[in-house]
Amino acid sequence: MEILQSLQDVTSIVAPIGGGGLIAGLALVVKQMAPHVKIYGVQSEGAPAMYMSKREHAIKTTPDAVTMADGIAVKVPGNLTFDIIDKYVDDIVVVSDEAIASTILMVLERAKLMVEGAGAVSLAAVLNGKVPARGKVVSVISGGNIDVNFISRIIERGLVKAGRRVKITTLIADRPGMLQNLLAVITRLKANVINVYHDRVERNVPIGQAVVEICLETRDALHTEEIMANLRQEGYIAKII
């Protein structure tokens, strides 16, 4: 009701689904007041019970519910909520944990809000094109109950998904100064080196060469592509691992 009062020309509303209580209540009210507004539900790929149930129009269960979005990690949909969702919710989609992690990171950086995984799935669906983004779309972001010890891992996954944390490997000649030359290319492109692994005795490394693995922080995926292109121009056979 608050959404409709604040944004009268809203075209669709996207909300997370666990047991289904939140979206069932939302859909019931919205469809009575503004039946033209589309309602989309979102679950994690690791806990898709309501997603499966909606498609079969019957309650389906999953043997496991494994996802970083533990607030919606539900194996059995609610009986009462399913009937409402099946009738009033237009569609349900699923998103990956990687998409959830990158969304948490984006909200933290841009909006300065700490959102738990279950609260971020709706925005993750919009950002990853899982639901139509025509007109004015409202993404319901609910919940900030996140374990502080888990935040660093979520941020790490978000950085990897966004292409801002990358690990590359290449071979260099096993001679003094060769590692320095490699790092000079990366330094020139203003990437931040987190750690370096250098090994000349690994089984598959030819004699006279050494394998190097470098973990980098970059600005974005385009910056990573620029680094890889420059390394190849300099003669390095580099790849992302």
Side-chain angles (χ1 to χ4, degrees):
M1 185 177 296
E2 292 175 355
I3 294 173
L4 297 178
Q5 290 173 344
S6 302
L7 195 64
Q8 296 180 0
D9 55 348
V10 61
T11 56
S12 57
I13 301 173
V14 189
I17 300 180
L22 172 64
I23 198 169
L26 186 152
L28 193 59
V29 172
V30 170
K31 289 298 186 179
Q32 297 297 323
M33 298 180 63
H36 64 281
V37 175
K38 298 292 185 181
I39 305 295
Y40 298 101
V42 187
Q43 291 201 293
S44 166
E45 289 179 350
M50 192 69 81
Y51 167 82
M52 295 165 52
S53 301
K54 174 72 172 173
R55 270 150 180 72
E56 297 293 330
H57 300 290
I59 290 180
K60 301 294 179 181
T61 63
T62 58
D64 295 302
V66 182
T67 173
M68 63 181 292
D70 53 358
I72 56 172
V74 176
K75 294 186 286 187
V76 183
N79 289 313
L80 295 177
T81 55
F82 170 71
D83 290 337
I84 297 172
I85 289 169
D86 194 39
K87 182 177 181 180
Y88 292 111
V89 173
D90 293 282
D91 197 10
I92 298 175
V93 299
V94 294
V95 293
S96 67
D97 274 8
E98 287 73 20
I100 297 170
S102 62
T103 301
I104 291 173
L105 179 62
M106 189 203 74
V107 174
L108 179 61
E109 284 190 318
R110 298 189 184 183
K112 312 306 178 189
L113 294 174
M114 178 53 67
V115 182
E116 64 179 281
V121 292
S122 56
L123 183 56
V126 175
L127 294 175
N128 287 272
K130 296 285 187 171
V131 297
R134 295 185 294 271
K136 292 188 177 179
V137 180
V138 172
S139 177
V140 178
I141 299 177
S142 61
N145 183 23
I146 187 169
D147 185 346
V148 293
N149 295 318
F150 197 49
I151 292 173
S152 62
R153 280 180 282 170
I154 291 174
I155 292 174
E156 181 77 19
R157 292 190 70 164
L159 289 171
V160 172
K161 176 68 166 52
R164 295 168 55 188
R165 178 72 59 85
V166 63
K167 184 181 287 186
I168 63 174
T169 184
T170 189
L171 291 173
I172 61 174
D174 186 20
R175 297 197 306 270
M178 294 298 101
L179 179 58
Q180 180 180 351
N181 292 344
L182 171 62
L183 294 175
V185 177
I186 295 170
T187 300
R188 186 177 72 242
L189 296 169
K190 301 187 183 305
N192 186 35
V193 176
I194 299 172
N195 58 60
V196 178
Y197 170 79
H198 178 279
D199 191 349
R200 63 166 66 92
V201 296
E202 190 173 301
R203 178 181 299 177
N204 296 322
V205 176
I207 295 175
Q209 292 188 308
V211 64
V212 179
E213 294 178 4
I214 307 174
C215 185
L216 301 174
E217 281 184 345
T218 64
R219 292 190 299 272
D220 50 33
L222 290 176
H223 189 202
T224 298
E225 291 177 8
E226 180 187 3
I227 293 167
M228 297 301 291
N230 274 265
L231 288 173
R232 290 171 184 138
Q233 287 176 2
E234 294 289 338
Y236 296 101
I237 304 175
K239 62 181 180 179
I240 297 174
I241 57 175

